[in-house]
Amino acid sequence: MPLPSKTTGKVYFVGAGPGDPGLITLRGVECLRMADLVLHDYLVNRELLDHAPPSAEKVCLGHHHTGREYSQEEVNAQMIAAARAGKSVVRLKGGDPLVFGRAAEETAALAAAGIAYEIVPGVTAAIAAAGYAEIPITSGQQASAVAFITGHERSAKAGERLDYAALADFPGTLVFYMGIRSADRWSQALLARGKPPQTPAAIVRRCSWPDQEVVRCTLGDIAEVVETRGIRPPAVIVVGEVVEAMPAASWFAAQPLFGKSVLITRPRESRLGDWSIFRREDTADNFDFPRIMDLSPSPRDEMTENLRAWGAEVLFQSAIAISAPLDWGPLDRALARLEEFDWLVFSSMNGVRYFLERLLHGGGDARRLGKAKIAAIGPSTAEELKNCRLRADLVPGEFRAEALADALCAEAAGRRFLLIRASRGREVLAEQLAAAGATVEQVVAYSSIDVERPDEAVAARLAAGGIDWITVSSSSIARSLAKLFGENLRRTKLASISPVTSATLRELGFEPAVEARQFTAIGLAEAILERENEIASIPSR
Ligand code: SAH
């Protein structure tokens, strides 16, 4: 193996696992983080590509029947050319790269070209099926061995290459890959060699994906079950006595939100923590947002984590894009005279982030806040302040501008308030404070614009009724969603974060299915869980 040099890149064969984005190794994620080019199989979860830098080129190597399919020679040539140009290339393969993954053909080409490579193992489909369908593929009493077998032999003309007599006698579990279309052939071959037709079997389709399907059958009726149920690849078929131990619903399928999809619509940057992709291209000021999110996981990430922990499929479609304000001038001028204010009022997490980052950017830090008291409109905003090691002096019990105004009005007369806000928003707070005798200045810390076009796949899925829930976490998101999806919003259930947001939805003609009791992202997730539990507990007749 040639020594890696600074001028030549390297190719990383990374096992992506079976589908669940959590089933990639830490090393695999590390490789993706430093990738310049990612060449991925059709079957890998696209979410994994988010680990790669936004600047990395991502190429899907295609699949039969869909779009362009790359030949092995083309793939090899592309890897070699990129590595020679000094790039880090990740070849992301489903499951494990060396289990029916053909990585060996690719590493041979690299070795011949003198390109260095590394292989990062992954969770192969058989092992994933064991875990996610709860089949103990080896088991003390019933199976001391397991075999991974292809149901798809390369050359049918050359006859059966597999020794089915040996497989029929194999003292353990058989796991067939690529065995759906050929189920009739290989199951007949085993039966013909004397394997009992009543041998238990399980078809595990799309293992570890939100639409995982598990079907119990026997060796004798596999082909018929595949045919009558119309089961399509990808699936593994586990054949052996161990299948007896499989529960009717595994831990995975028994999760409370298993099979439910939730579309999250908040601005995407709140999720990724990668501010760079939202930097305004058109501003001369190339203010580089640091990755404060890496240090301070936002409570909104917990919503995704909660939903996933309950087994939901989480989809993303930002309704709003957050970015730097068109003009930093007003914020910079306010920051220069911070000591003049008695109160700093934050009405969103993003306000906190942009305000503090800009303060730091200009050479200041928390000491500049001096005597000013801090108010936060709600718990998430207060939490974000806390992440930045600042304590909110006031958080109203109710998450709405009116409640904040009421709480502040008692102190308002003669005081100076700085309201830190988005480029649009409600005027209630400023008006009420001014009416109570305060001096109010408002400053735009970030701009918020409607996303104009939805992702095509998301829009199509919604139109087909394939999305169970959409989270609506602000009034501006509600309005943007109405523009993005229109009447198709009736094909899903809407989860509203607060009474204000619900009122906006109703104004737009959409009735929310649930409203969060706690006006936070986590409250939203909990409302969805509660409603789904209610639905599940209604006895079906
Ligand atoms: N390298 C992969 C296998 C690639 S061959 C691995 O280690 O898993 C493709 C076959 O893998 C499919 O036909 C199917 O049999 C199996 N497979 C891949 N992903 C799967 C999944 N999520 N659920 C069930 N089977 C899967």
Side-chain angles (χ1 to χ4, degrees), residues 240-315:
E241 296 304 324
V242 293
V243 171
E244 291 289 1
M246 181 178 82
S250 67
W251 67 269
F252 183 62
Q255 297 175 105
L257 294 184
F258 175 75
K260 302 290 171 204
S261 48
V262 183
L263 182 71
I264 305 223
T265 55
R266 62 156 187 265
R268 185 174 151 90
E269 71 170 7
S270 311
R271 172 170 79 105
L272 280 184
D274 184 355
W275 298 73
S276 58
I277 47 176
F278 293 93
R279 204 180 305 147
R280 277 203 112 83
E281 306 280 335
D282 53 349
T283 147
D285 183 352
N286 60 345
F287 175 24
D288 193 8
F289 276 103
R291 298 169 168 242
I292 55 168
M293 296 281 297
D294 290 349
L295 300 173
S296 58
S298 83
R300 295 191 179 197
D301 290 329
E302 285 172 28
M303 163 159 78
T304 306
E305 280 161 27
N306 278 358
L307 289 169
R308 287 209 171 120
W310 296 328
E313 176 185 11
V314 180
L315 309 165

Side-chain angles (χ1 to χ4, degrees), residues 18 94-96 99-101 124-125 177-178 204-207 209 234-236:
D96 180 274
V99 179
F100 304 122
T124 190
Y177 284 66
M178 297 169 280
V204 185
R205 175 169 194 272
R206 297 261 301 165
C207 183
W209 291 85
V236 285

Side-chain angles (χ1 to χ4, degrees), residues 174-177 179-180 183 186 201-204 217 222 235-239:
L174 307 178
V175 185
F176 284 88
Y177 284 66
I180 291 297
W186 60 257
I203 303 168
V204 185
C217 55
I222 284 176
V236 285
I237 301 114
V238 184
V239 181

Side-chain angles (χ1 to χ4, degrees), residues 292 296 352-353 356-357 366 382-391:
I292 55 168
S296 58
V352 173
R353 288 181 197 157
L356 291 174
E357 285 309 324
E383 188 65 28
E384 188 62 26
L385 283 162
K386 203 171 123 204
N387 287 337
C388 302
R389 300 297 179 261
L390 290 170
R391 200 183 297 278

Side-chain angles (χ1 to χ4, degrees), residues 6-241:
K6 284 214 168 64
T7 46
T8 311
K10 193 168 167 180
V11 179
Y12 300 85
F13 290 86
V14 174
D20 183 333
L23 294 182
I24 185 171
T25 61
L26 282 177
R27 180 61 186 152
V29 171
E30 268 172 24
C31 294
L32 280 168
R33 286 204 177 131
M34 58 190 182
D36 300 304
L37 170 65
V38 183
L39 302 170
H40 65 92
D41 287 355
Y42 174 76
L43 275 179
V44 309
N45 193 325
R46 304 292 161 103
E47 254 180 62
L48 294 174
L49 302 178
D50 287 346
H51 291 299
S55 58
E57 190 188 346
K58 290 135 198 154
V59 182
C60 176
L61 296 181
H63 182 60
H64 325 279
H65 324 303
T66 54
R68 166 145 163 55
E69 203 178 339
Y70 288 70
S71 72
Q72 194 59 62
E73 289 68 34
E74 281 177 295
V75 174
N76 294 350
Q78 204 173 346
M79 286 191 298
I80 292 168
R84 288 211 170 119
K87 291 186 176 163
S88 282
V89 181
V90 167
R91 179 73 179 91
L92 191 62
K93 284 177 163 280
D96 180 274
L98 294 179
V99 179
F100 304 122
R102 299 219 218 153
E105 295 169 29
E106 297 178 15
T107 55
L110 294 177
I115 307 286
Y117 60 84
E118 176 178 326
I119 300 174
V120 184
V123 176
T124 190
I127 303 297
Y132 278 58
E134 289 195 61
I135 307 170
I137 49 171
T138 68
S139 135
Q141 297 84 44
Q142 290 152 324
S144 314
V146 57
F148 297 165
I149 307 156
T150 172
H152 170 85
E153 285 184 273
R154 282 217 191 146
S155 158
K157 279 196 203 115
E160 289 172 5
R161 298 258 196 83
L162 280 168
D163 182 345
Y164 281 98
L167 288 176
D169 284 340
F170 184 74
T173 307
L174 307 178
V175 185
F176 284 88
Y177 284 66
M178 297 169 280
I180 291 297
R181 296 205 172 95
S182 56
D184 189 38
R185 195 158 45 75
W186 60 257
S187 61
Q188 287 302 327
L190 287 174
L191 291 167
R193 271 40 162 224
K195 192 145 176 99
Q198 67 277 17
T199 311
I203 303 168
V204 185
R205 175 169 194 272
R206 297 261 301 165
C207 183
S208 85
W209 291 85
D211 55 349
Q212 167 173 310
E213 266 179 276
V214 180
V215 182
R216 269 291 308 257
C217 55
T218 62
L219 178 61
D221 65 13
I222 284 176
E224 195 193 322
V225 168
V226 166
E227 171 77 26
T228 54
R229 294 224 184 190
I231 298 174
R232 285 168 297 125
V236 285
I237 301 114
V238 184
V239 181
E241 296 304 324

